[in-house]
Amino acid sequence: MFGLIGHSTSFEDAKRKALGLGYDHIAEGDLDVWCTAPPQLVEHVKVVSAIGKTIEGAYIDSCFVPEMLSRFKTARRKVLNAMELAQKKGISITALGGFTSIIFENFNLLQNQQVRNTTLDWQRFTTGNTHTAWVICRQLEQNAPRIGIDLSKSKVAVVGATGDIGSAVCRWLSNRTGVSELLLVARQTKPLIELQSQLGGGRILSLDEALPEADIVIWVASMPKTLEIDPSKIKRPCLMIDGGYPKNLGEKFSGPGIHVLKGGIVQFFKDIGWSMMELAEMENPKREMFACFAEAMLLEFENCHTNFSWGRNNITLEKMDFIGKASERHGFSAVGLKSNIQTLTV
């Protein structure tokens, strides 16, 4: 069985969803009540792949909301409690989604293997970052030509290049895609220099320097709410792939010739009888999901019960090849630009 650990996009949204699920006592509570609320297994689902393999899974709501991010102990407890519940339910491989994955990595929850009387088995959990990185690269490869961008002549800025997903994307683009140049952007200089050395190339720039040069921008870092961008400095056409969380590039970038695509989202080949993706506000919730969630499903389809995506900067091209081939074989495809975008010759 596969598992997905997720959460609502806001406190108000969480209260509405809890009311709809019949958790009135939680829905009517204030944020302090939600801070003490335990995780809930809210849905079971059965999924049949494109090659006819059937698996079963469960969605666990961590009862975490973004408003809790400033409460370190609460955020940590929420994720660990949800992981404990997944393990107690006998789930073989569980993906952490949204902020739960970010909290796990940034708060180094590997130091907290014991949760009450349960010793967490790390082999049962994955961040899903390998599949997310592969999907973002596929979105670039498939959608850039549609808006007239020749990859062999394009400059690609990766914002958040030294993170787990960002570094994997850089390795793929450098070795597999043949883009003209990588522009490496991150907050800390030392990891950028190390990444540049590993890649054997790429130019280290600030965000302000990189954006006017980039034909494609892959954003795999959370965007500061205070960030102000002058759209007139952006190249036209320009493909913006929003691989961060929350996905808010569309609020900052707009205008003719600027195409913003939600990164790391996949679509299954047929409807799935669940309501869980409505909690994640997918445009087509019966088929669409975060690629990190799909990674747990793929590992279950492949009988690969291991922490496939684990630790920072451990994503290899070989792992991306494996999960990418599995993704296509079982019926997933990367979500692209809207169908009314005219395909242009490059």
Side-chain angles (χ1 to χ4, degrees), residues 69-85:
L69 278 173
S70 60
R71 306 187 184 195
F72 168 78
K73 291 182 178 179
T74 297
R76 180 182 63 186
R77 186 179 69 252
K78 289 288 185 181
V79 177
L80 290 171
N81 285 350
M83 295 173 73
E84 180 199 30
L85 177 60

Side-chain angles (χ1 to χ4, degrees), residues 125-304:
F125 301 95
T126 181
T127 62
N129 286 347
T130 306
H131 192 221
T132 299
W134 182 84
V135 168
I136 288 172
C137 292
R138 290 296 289 154
Q139 289 177 307
L140 178 149
E141 294 164 353
Q142 294 173 349
N143 291 278
R146 295 182 60 199
I147 59 173
I149 295 176
D150 184 343
L151 290 179
S152 67
K153 300 176 182 178
S154 66
K155 295 181 181 181
V156 181
V158 181
V159 183
T162 57
D164 197 26
I165 296 173
S167 61
V169 166
C170 288
R171 284 190 286 273
W172 183 276
L173 297 182
S174 178
N175 288 277
R176 300 290 178 83
T177 307
V179 298
S180 175
E181 187 176 22
L182 280 178
L183 310 178
L184 309 176
V185 182
R187 293 185 180 92
Q188 298 182 356
T189 303
K190 183 179 177 181
L192 275 173
I193 295 173
E194 293 173 352
L195 176 64
Q196 185 185 49
S197 176
Q198 293 168 8
L199 296 172
R203 220 167 7 119
I204 297 173
L205 297 175
S206 68
L207 180 61
D208 289 339
E209 293 170 331
L211 286 180
E213 289 195 39
D215 302 285
I216 303 167
V217 181
I218 298 177
W219 201 293
V220 282
S222 297
M223 179 184 291
K225 293 182 178 180
T226 56
L227 180 67
E228 295 295 334
I229 301 295
D230 182 358
S232 67
K233 295 182 179 180
I234 306 299
K235 275 190 172 184
R236 314 297 171 94
C238 182
L239 176 63
M240 298 270 183
I241 300 179
D242 189 354
Y245 191 87
K247 299 192 179 301
N248 52 12
L249 269 185
E251 300 172 5
K252 297 288 184 179
F253 299 95
S254 62
I258 300 177
H259 303 273
V260 178
L261 174 59
K262 290 184 177 180
I265 304 292
V266 291
Q267 180 170 285
F268 200 49
F269 77 105
K270 65 178 182 180
D271 287 356
I272 300 175
W274 60 16
S275 61
M276 60 181 72
M277 287 305 110
E278 293 179 3
L279 302 176
E281 298 184 340
M282 292 290 157
E283 291 185 16
N284 185 358
K286 293 299 181 184
R287 296 194 180 194
E288 291 181 7
M289 69 194 79
F290 294 116
C292 59
F293 282 167
E295 180 172 297
M297 298 170 67
L298 291 169
L299 294 176
E300 181 71 11
F301 278 132
E302 294 289 313
N303 293 315
C304 183

Side-chain angles (χ1 to χ4, degrees), residues 3-5 79 83 93-106 109-110 122-133 164-165 264 290-296 299 306-315 319:
L4 313 174
I5 294 177
V79 177
M83 295 173 73
I93 183 66
T94 299
L96 304 172
F99 279 120
T100 62
S101 174
I102 296 171
I103 291 166
F104 185 88
E105 291 183 341
N106 291 352
L109 298 195
L110 283 169
W122 300 134
Q123 291 290 315
R124 292 174 176 263
F125 301 95
T126 181
T127 62
N129 286 347
T130 306
H131 192 221
T132 299
D164 197 26
I165 296 173
F290 294 116
C292 59
F293 282 167
E295 180 172 297
L299 294 176
T306 181
N307 49 6
F308 193 76
S309 301
W310 205 246
R312 282 186 176 276
N313 300 329
N314 291 332
I315 299 175
K319 281 191 170 183

Side-chain angles (χ1 to χ4, degrees), residues 323-344:
I323 206 70
K325 289 175 183 177
S327 184
E328 293 175 337
R329 180 168 59 251
H330 290 290
F332 290 96
S333 59
V335 169
L337 294 168
K338 298 302 180 183
S339 58
N340 59 357
I341 298 292
Q342 184 178 359
T343 301
L344 302 176

